[in-house]
Amino acid sequence: MINEGGSIKTAANFGYVYTPNSIRRCLRVSQEEKLLLFEIFSLYNEEKGYAFPTQQTLAMYLGVSSSSVSKLLKTLEIEKKFIKSYGKKGKKKRYVPLMSLHSNPYLLLSETFHFATKVIHKEIPEDISGDWGNKLLQFVNVKKEDEFTERDPYGLLLINFDKESSIEQLLILITEYISRLFSIEVEINWKEEIVGNKKRNAKRKEEKKNPFFDNVKTSTKNSYSSTKNLKPDEAAQLQQWMLDIGIKD
């Protein structure tokens, strides 16, 4: 995963950029925010250690106004902690990707949600199989006026994220939400599901072992696995979380 000061292999000169799936499918991050983040990836200069586009350049690439880009940048930096910027007002700013699969609440809770949906899908009666997914998304994507209020438990987990309890709380909340919404009993042994998922992921990794995947792993190792900004004990604990739940990219 990308971290400030880490090595980022964007491959921009080849017409593409590495973007982890966890970011591409991250919930509560808008499509415009993701596109802007991907532009920063693509404009990242390996030698300098940052991207330095003007807001006008980013606006043209995204097809939006400069004022919209300014708001998006503030959200990505201040609220969602995906980037860090340097530079005084009126000067050309530098942008550094600043995120980790092991510490960013938006990524951790989003990946936990996607994991939970796969598990719950197996337990849902066939007569509601076409409706439960849309209803569950409403649990995450609440109305703007309800965000981060008592009517938004997912949002409250985001802003009050606790590495010791929030992931487990989310799994419980999702289970209770589906059970209450459809008046059905959804009983899931999450510890057992996590262990099983971890084993399946390990098996898939073994099956994928070939020169192509080995090269990808080598070229992205520094970009996507660094936890240098975390304390050693925090990094180890957060990495273990991801391994245990089976959602580490």
Side-chain angles (χ1 to χ4, degrees), residues 20 25 39 42 49 63 69 86 95 98 132 145 151 195 207 217 220 225 228-229 240:
R25 63 188 172 219
E39 287 298 341
S42 70
V69 167
Y86 301 88
Y95 302 97
L98 182 66
W132 77 274
E145 59 266 27
R151 294 185 291 275
V195 170
E207 292 173 348
K217 289 176 183 176
T220 61
S225 63
K228 63 184 290 185
N229 292 332
Q240 190 59 48

Side-chain angles (χ1 to χ4, degrees), residues 130-170:
D131 192 36
W132 77 274
N134 290 332
K135 296 291 186 182
L136 188 54
L137 274 176
Q138 292 175 16
F139 171 81
V140 176
N141 299 323
V142 300
K143 296 179 181 179
K144 192 70 176 177
E145 59 266 27
D146 292 336
E147 284 186 353
F148 309 116
T149 69
E150 292 182 356
R151 294 185 291 275
D152 180 20
Y154 188 90
L156 291 179
L157 285 177
L158 281 173
I159 61 175
N160 299 300
F161 187 77
D162 185 312
K163 63 182 181 181
E164 299 293 339
S165 60
S166 291
I167 287 180
E168 182 180 354
Q169 287 177 21
L170 178 59

Side-chain angles (χ1 to χ4, degrees), residues 9 31 56 99 102 111 162 186 217 234 238 244:
K9 297 291 186 181
Q31 294 303 313
Q56 290 76 14
M99 57 243 177
H102 311 297
E111 287 298 287
D162 185 312
V186 180
K217 289 176 183 176
E234 290 179 339
L238 288 167
D244 289 343

Side-chain angles (χ1 to χ4, degrees), residues 67-85:
S67 60
S68 294
V69 167
S70 180
K71 291 177 182 177
L72 292 169
L73 286 169
K74 287 180 181 177
T75 301
L76 286 173
E77 179 171 14
I78 298 171
E79 179 185 334
K80 301 183 180 179
K81 312 295 184 186
F82 282 127
I83 62 172
K84 189 170 184 178
S85 67

Side-chain angles (χ1 to χ4, degrees), residues 7-45:
S7 174
I8 303 176
K9 297 291 186 181
T10 61
N13 291 334
F14 298 98
Y16 61 90
V17 59
Y18 292 126
T19 54
N21 284 333
S22 58
I23 297 176
R24 179 183 54 80
R25 63 188 172 219
C26 190
L27 299 169
R28 294 291 276 267
V29 177
S30 72
Q31 294 303 313
E32 284 189 336
E33 289 165 355
K34 291 174 184 176
L35 288 174
L36 180 55
L37 187 56
F38 296 160
E39 287 298 341
I40 290 174
F41 285 176
S42 70
L43 296 169
Y44 182 86
N45 185 296

Side-chain angles (χ1 to χ4, degrees), residues 3 44 47 81 87-88 93 116 169 171 198 210 224 233:
N3 268 299
Y44 182 86
E47 292 182 1
K81 312 295 184 186
K88 296 180 180 179
K93 284 196 172 184
Q169 287 177 21
L171 293 172
K198 181 180 176 182
N210 60 53
Y224 301 122
D233 58 332

